[in-house]
Amino acid sequence: MNIRKVAVLGAGVMGAQIAAHLVNAGVETLLFELAAPEGELNGNVNKALENLKKLDPAPLASPAKLAYIQPANYEQHLELLRECDLVIEAIAERMDYKADLYRRVAPFIGEHAIFASNTSGLSIKQLAQAFPEQLRHRFCGVHFFNPPRYMHLVELIACRETEASLLDQLETFLVSTLGKGVVRAKDTPNFIANRIGVFSMLATKHHAQAFNLGFDTVDALTGRYLGRPKSATFRTLDIVGLDVFAHVVNTLRENLTDDPWHKHFELPGWFGYLVDQGSLGQKTRRGIYQKIGKEIHVLDLHTNEYRLSDTKIDDGVKDILCERDWAKKLSGLHDHPHPQAQFLWAVFRDVFHYCALQLGEIADNARDFDFAVRWGFGWDSGPFEIWQAAGWQRVASWIAADISAGKTMAETPLPEWATDPLRTGVHTPQGSYSSSPYAALPPLPLAGEGQGVRGYQLRSTLPVYKRQLFPDALVGEERHYGETVFETEDVRMWHMGDNIAILSFKTKMHTVSNEVLDGILRALDEAEANFTALILWQTEPPFSYGANLLQLMQGVQEPDAGLFGKFKQAANRVKYTVAGGGGLSEVLKAATGNVPHVEAVVAKFQQVSQRLKYALVPTIAAVDGLALGGGCEFSIHCTRIVATLESYIGLVEVGVGVLPAGGGCKEMAQRAANEAQRFANDNRVDVFPFVRRYFQNIAMGEVAKSAEMAREMGYLRPSDRIVLNRFELLHVAKEEAKALNATAYRPPLHQHQIAVAGRTGIATLKAAMINMKEGGFISEHDYNIGCRVAETICGGDVEAGSLVDEQWLLDLERKNFMELLATEKTQARIEHMLKNGKPLRN
């Protein structure tokens, strides 16, 4: 079954955003809403579509996608449902509302269509009873997480009558077309992610009160230090909405009366007070936090007033939290007497305790459990992963001791499977633990499983997952990235037993050093000699944060040279002593005095880009996440870019006071000329209108906010591919390489006649920048940088329409880069970026 057309019923916050993501994926989409009581009948749904433009983060990959959502209402357009292969209901979380809607639309559902509810926690079994009996075999739950474009998780829930093949078809669509991570959840209140994520928040609230910690202190402790979103706990509640959270907790309280933790499914008085006041969080601009001017204020429960947020983490606790090893981190928190450490241990303990008791009830296995929490709540590691990484037996003994001492939120002991003395964890290369007696694997004993009565489950065998060559990994699973061709400290070239070579960077944030340049050149030689294609692909995002100017300069001389030593000393000062000293500026000045060596590195950068473009085998940039500066330049020179939707691509060099000099300006000028040629009238080529947009991208340092936007900005060509599921990226890149070779691939011919805008184009761009400078929108140095970008991308001091070659443009790039690098203000920008990680406007 191919899902060609989808209808979303309900244009609220979730429904409208689900529709937006469907069109992001190129799926024909109808969005239904109640007919407006007056005026145009589509008034309500049109208003919802307009609101999509205002949401941040943007639900649409490009504003142009909005036009592809077809508005509809229940009075005029029910017949259109017959054309839909999938219908997703996303109206208010009330059983009676949903039942009424089901009865209304059921006669119009196509014979083979899937009907799915986006409920966040209502019983799928009860919802199915409201659906006509003859249609229930095509009914299920499909729970997206907010915001649907960005949150990877979708929970798939069957009712008793749901056809197994239907679920497989829907999972395939969700994974590959929409790019989601699908978890099959059992039909229990709030399913998996909300059940555990909400309990974690309730436990955090409980222990924060017990240890007398303020909301801002709790958020400082429970955010990125624990591998969780920056919004941590209480900021997340403000983002979600206090009323929404109250509804979820109420669902738990009403439906889990036998849960040992039931007494904790209550919200404190202050929470109800905020909700009653209408202080619901971000959507009402006040909740637990309130922004006053540029300052963040937080509710103080001692005074019931808002105070300036003033977070203070104990130094000893902070040292523990900075530890990357979960065994050391959890041990430190368990043993440290400070209330902040004991608070964190108590939260971890009670979450582990709850997860162990609930595993068999709400999930098929521990893998689904951990992925649901990771993908639905943005945790870097799931609760069982953390427990396993910290040492299963030791943590289990601590939990058991605290249960015996009456310190836990519930007195129920850990289940037998969790306290098995042979257990070392729940995730293994053979699969993940399942407490179900029907666990498929293994039939033979595994550590901690006695005679294997209850075993481990492998990952799904659906064909769609064969596209994920390296799926999201769990602690305890083995991962082997192919066979090594060569490896250095900075890069590794490898293959998977076929004739396609892959090059991965090993530098931090996959920045480009002099050694990376050498590695790419070596990889290109190897690929041309022994392989049919070369793919640039990283094992984790980002694709590349760009060239690290300091690293590049360090590589221009031998390690024992005086200049290298100065750079190393400066780097150490920047790393360890942010305050004081102008040492880095002095070193930058020294480097720019060593012009031949610095310019040689820039020339090598250009050489790499040109080699990627004109290699005898196809080169594929498999881009995921940030591809900035040099990373963008490498990408745009490759034969193809295959990018995930969430790729953020741009030439951002102006932020550190220079211009793209790895072929970026040259390539944009060349693309502008080629575009102008296609639109030329009577052989008269006016290249300037096409140059202008590329100039703006470079001079403003604009970054595309999606791969779709990157295509609109000209970083991606029409032939480049966009992938929705990042775990399919390498598969698609390899298929693209095969397709190119299937037509006897030859590299593009060198272009010797590139039309440029010349001095007329430069003058026009300068005039616009003068107006911006006089209006106070840009600084004098911004203007200087912009003038050099204009000179380069317009081809220099030549007549408009003059024909130049690529080397001419590369020489202009390099010349202007070096001259900007010699200025004090550019050196100040570089120093500021290295010290603070933020651009300086001077």
Side-chain angles (χ1 to χ4, degrees):
M1 175 185 178
N2 291 317
I3 295 176
R4 295 181 176 86
K5 194 169 189 176
V6 179
V8 180
L9 309 183
V13 172
M14 282 300 292
Q17 290 191 81
I18 291 170
H21 192 59
L22 285 163
V23 294
N24 287 343
V27 179
E28 284 195 56
T29 303
L30 291 161
L31 179 60
F32 277 79
E33 186 50 274
L34 294 169
E38 55 187 42
E40 185 185 357
L41 289 178
N42 271 345
N44 288 336
V45 68
N46 287 335
K47 182 178 179 181
L49 291 174
E50 282 298 309
N51 286 338
L52 286 175
K53 299 177 183 178
K54 305 173 186 176
L55 293 180
D56 186 23
L60 292 160
S62 163
K65 291 285 186 181
L66 185 65
Y68 294 95
I69 303 176
Q70 182 178 347
N73 66 78
Y74 302 113
E75 299 295 333
Q76 296 175 300
H77 304 120
L78 286 178
E79 283 290 339
L80 296 176
L81 291 175
R82 299 188 192 277
E83 306 169 5
C84 297
D85 305 299
L86 171 63
V87 179
I88 300 173
E89 170 268 304
I91 67 169
E93 287 287 89
R94 281 186 50 170
M95 194 74 71
D96 54 342
Y97 288 179
K98 293 179 186 288
D100 288 344
L101 179 64
Y102 295 177
R103 284 188 286 269
R104 186 173 187 181
V105 303
F108 302 93
I109 303 301
E111 182 181 354
H112 300 292
I114 301 170
F115 192 98
S117 174
N118 182 56
T119 178
S120 61
L122 296 179
S123 168
I124 299 301
K125 177 182 177 181
Q126 291 183 40
L127 286 172
Q129 298 308 305
F131 211 58
E133 186 174 355
Q134 71 273 18
L135 299 178
R136 288 176 194 166
H137 64 288
R138 289 184 276 128
F139 179 78
C140 64
V142 55
H143 180 210
F144 289 82
F145 278 68
N146 191 17
R149 171 183 163 186
Y150 302 94
M151 298 307 293
H152 192 55
L153 178 65
V154 171
E155 290 173 319
L156 195 57
I157 313 99
C159 68
R160 185 179 58 193
E161 297 89 348
T162 309
E163 287 183 5
S165 61
L166 175 145
L167 290 176
D168 291 347
Q169 292 163 6
L170 185 53
E171 181 167 352
T172 297
F173 172 77
L174 292 167
V175 169
S176 203
T177 303
L178 299 191
K180 296 303 175 186
V182 172
V183 166
R184 303 249 184 140
K186 294 184 179 181
D187 188 11
T188 57
N190 292 342
F191 311 130
I192 303 175
N194 276 345
R195 178 82 167 267
I196 301 307
V198 169
F199 178 82
S200 176
M201 290 181 170
L202 291 172
T204 302
K205 169 198 66 75
H206 172 82
H207 291 299
Q209 182 177 350
F211 287 96
N212 194 29
L213 300 179
F215 297 127
D216 49 346
T217 299
V218 169
D219 280 349
L221 292 167
T222 60
R224 289 308 302 159
Y225 282 124
L226 302 185
R228 299 178 189 175
K230 291 181 181 178
S231 55
T233 303
F234 293 109
R235 284 186 187 275
T236 296
L237 288 182
D238 271 358
I239 293 168
V240 169
L242 303 191
D243 54 336
V244 174
F245 184 74
H247 170 77
V248 175
V249 174
N250 187 56
T251 300
L252 293 176
R253 184 172 61 253
E254 291 180 353
N255 294 284
L256 296 172
T257 54
D258 295 332
D259 192 302
W261 285 265
H262 182 264
K263 67 180 180 181
H264 296 289
F265 299 154
E266 297 283 350
L267 292 170
W270 62 263
F271 198 101
Y273 173 75
L274 288 175
V275 172
D276 292 343
Q277 270 196 326
S279 300
L280 305 179
Q282 187 170 279
K283 59 189 173 186
T284 60
R285 300 189 178 183
R286 185 170 69 176
I288 297 170
Y289 290 90
Q290 181 180 18
K291 189 173 183 180
I292 302 176
K294 295 184 178 180
E295 295 178 337
I296 303 297
H297 291 242
V298 62
L299 182 66
D300 189 325
L301 292 183
H302 297 291
T303 63
N304 286 327
E305 301 288 340
Y306 288 89
R307 60 166 174 79
L308 186 66
S309 179
D310 183 22
T311 304
K312 294 178 181 177
I313 299 179
D314 175 75
D315 289 340
V317 174
K318 184 180 291 186
D319 289 341
I320 296 170
L321 291 175
C322 289
E323 176 60 59
R324 292 179 178 270
D325 184 336
W326 274 111
K328 294 178 181 178
K329 181 179 287 188
L330 226 56
S331 177
L333 294 174
H334 176 268
D335 296 340
H336 200 289
H338 195 279
Q340 292 177 359
Q342 288 302 296
F343 155 75
L344 286 171
W345 160 245
V347 173
F348 274 116
R349 175 198 66 211
D350 286 328
V351 170
F352 293 159
H353 188 192
Y354 191 76
C355 291
L357 264 296
Q358 303 303 332
L359 172 59
E361 179 188 351
I362 69 176
D364 287 333
N365 55 66
R367 177 179 52 255
D368 289 348
F369 203 101
D370 274 344
F371 277 151
V373 177
R374 277 171 52 174
W375 296 342
F377 278 77
W379 293 18
D380 292 348
S381 303
F384 285 130
E385 285 187 287
I386 297 171
W387 187 348
Q388 180 168 332
W392 189 276
Q393 287 298 322
R394 182 172 59 166
V395 173
S397 68
W398 291 341
I399 297 171
D402 281 2
I403 293 172
S404 299
K407 295 181 179 180
T408 54
M409 292 169 66
E411 298 177 357
T412 307
L414 287 169
E416 289 184 12
W417 70 262
T419 57
D420 186 323
L422 297 178
R423 176 168 297 285
T424 58
V426 293
H427 303 303
T428 74
Q430 291 80 18
S432 292
Y433 175 75
S434 172
S435 60
S436 168
Y438 305 106
L441 288 171
L444 64 163
L446 282 175
E449 292 312 303
Q451 296 304 307
V453 175
R454 293 184 177 182
Y456 287 70
Q457 287 186 351
L458 290 176
R459 289 173 179 258
S460 171
T461 56
L462 280 179
V464 69
Y465 290 109
K466 293 180 181 178
R467 296 168 59 88
Q468 299 187 14
L469 303 182
F470 297 98
D472 206 353
L474 291 160
V475 165
E477 292 182 330
E478 294 178 352
R479 173 160 288 188
H480 176 62
Y481 291 104
E483 300 299 322
T484 300
V485 178
F486 74 83
E487 186 169 9
T488 70
E489 290 186 1
D490 294 81
V491 301
R492 176 176 178 255
M493 185 181 185
W494 52 286
H495 64 87
M496 298 180 67
D498 53 20
N499 54 10
I500 297 175
I502 302 163
L503 186 72
S504 301
F505 300 175
K506 296 166 60 180
T507 50
K508 185 176 181 180
M509 298 293 284
H510 305 135
T511 52
V512 181
S513 65
N514 193 40
E515 291 74 21
V516 167
L517 296 177
D518 290 335
I520 298 174
L521 291 173
R522 181 178 172 185
L524 284 162
D525 289 339
E526 286 277 359
E528 289 180 331
N530 301 307
F531 295 89
T532 61
L534 176 65
I535 298 173
L536 303 185
W537 177 81
Q538 317 298 5
T539 57
E540 295 289 341
F543 176 75
S544 176
Y545 206 66
N548 186 315
L549 185 60
L550 186 57
Q551 288 182 342
L552 288 176
M553 290 182 174
Q554 286 176 337
V556 300
Q557 289 191 348
E558 294 298 321
D560 59 351
L563 182 61
F564 180 89
K566 291 182 181 179
F567 268 114
K568 190 171 183 180
Q569 293 170 15
N572 288 334
R573 283 201 296 275
V574 171
K575 183 176 181 181
Y576 299 112
T577 313
V578 173
L584 183 57
S585 294
E586 295 170 8
V587 175
L588 289 170
K589 290 175 184 176
T592 54
N594 198 16
V595 171
H597 294 287
V598 177
E599 190 166 3
V601 177
V602 179
K604 186 191 291 186
F605 213 119
Q606 294 178 334
Q607 179 193 3
V608 168
S609 293
Q610 291 296 90
R611 283 288 309 276
L612 286 168
K613 184 172 183 176
Y614 294 108
L616 294 176
V617 296
T619 56
I620 314 290
V623 177
D624 182 24
L626 296 169
L628 304 179
C632 175
E633 288 177 296
F634 286 164
S635 301
I636 61 179
H637 281 86
C638 285
T639 313
R640 287 285 187 274
I641 296 175
V642 178
T644 62
L645 183 69
E646 302 310 326
S647 293
Y648 310 104
I649 303 171
L651 297 169
V652 296
E653 286 84 349
V654 295
V656 289
V658 292
L659 51 71
C665 291
K666 178 272 304 179
E667 188 67 15
M668 295 297 100
Q670 194 170 359
R671 291 188 183 186
N674 292 336
E675 290 167 13
Q677 187 66 50
R678 288 196 294 271
F679 290 94
N681 293 318
D682 300 326
N683 293 322
R684 291 194 301 272
V685 178
D686 182 8
V687 72
F688 181 75
F690 301 92
V691 165
R692 182 165 47 202
R693 79 156 171 159
Y694 290 118
F695 167 79
Q696 181 175 328
N697 291 344
I698 296 172
M700 302 298 291
E702 292 185 357
V703 176
K705 295 181 180 179
S706 71
E708 287 287 357
M709 293 292 288
R711 197 191 299 281
E712 293 174 10
M713 294 170 68
Y715 293 129
L716 265 63
R717 297 151 296 197
S719 57
D720 293 326
R721 310 298 181 199
I722 297 176
V723 178
L724 270 287
N725 195 316
R726 60 178 292 257
F727 298 106
E728 294 184 356
L729 180 63
L730 183 57
H731 165 80
V732 177
K734 294 183 77 170
E735 292 301 307
E736 191 69 18
K738 293 175 186 176
L740 287 164
N741 279 316
T743 54
Y745 175 77
R746 293 293 300 172
L749 296 173
H750 286 270
Q751 195 170 352
H752 301 289
Q753 294 187 330
I754 302 168
V756 294
R759 64 175 69 95
T760 304
I762 296 170
T764 304
L765 294 174
K766 281 185 175 181
M769 287 188 291
I770 288 172
N771 290 335
M772 293 183 70
K773 184 179 69 169
E774 291 179 350
F777 297 105
I778 61 174
S779 69
E780 181 70 36
H781 194 50
D782 289 330
Y783 174 75
N784 183 24
I785 297 166
C787 289
R788 293 182 181 276
V789 173
E791 179 187 346
T792 303
I793 203 168
C794 290
D797 187 18
V798 297
E799 291 292 332
S802 294
L803 301 178
V804 302
D805 61 13
E806 288 181 87
Q807 192 58 52
W808 174 275
L809 294 169
L810 289 170
D811 291 344
L812 277 173
E813 266 188 3
R814 198 166 61 254
K815 164 185 162 297
N816 282 298
F817 178 92
M818 295 306 301
E819 290 177 1
L820 283 170
L821 189 61
T823 65
E824 290 187 2
K825 288 189 176 180
T826 285
Q827 293 166 20
R829 288 191 179 193
I830 294 171
E831 180 177 9
H832 189 271
M833 177 65 77
L834 289 169
K835 283 184 177 180
N836 304 293
K838 297 178 181 179
L840 171 69
R841 291 294 304 277
N842 59 356

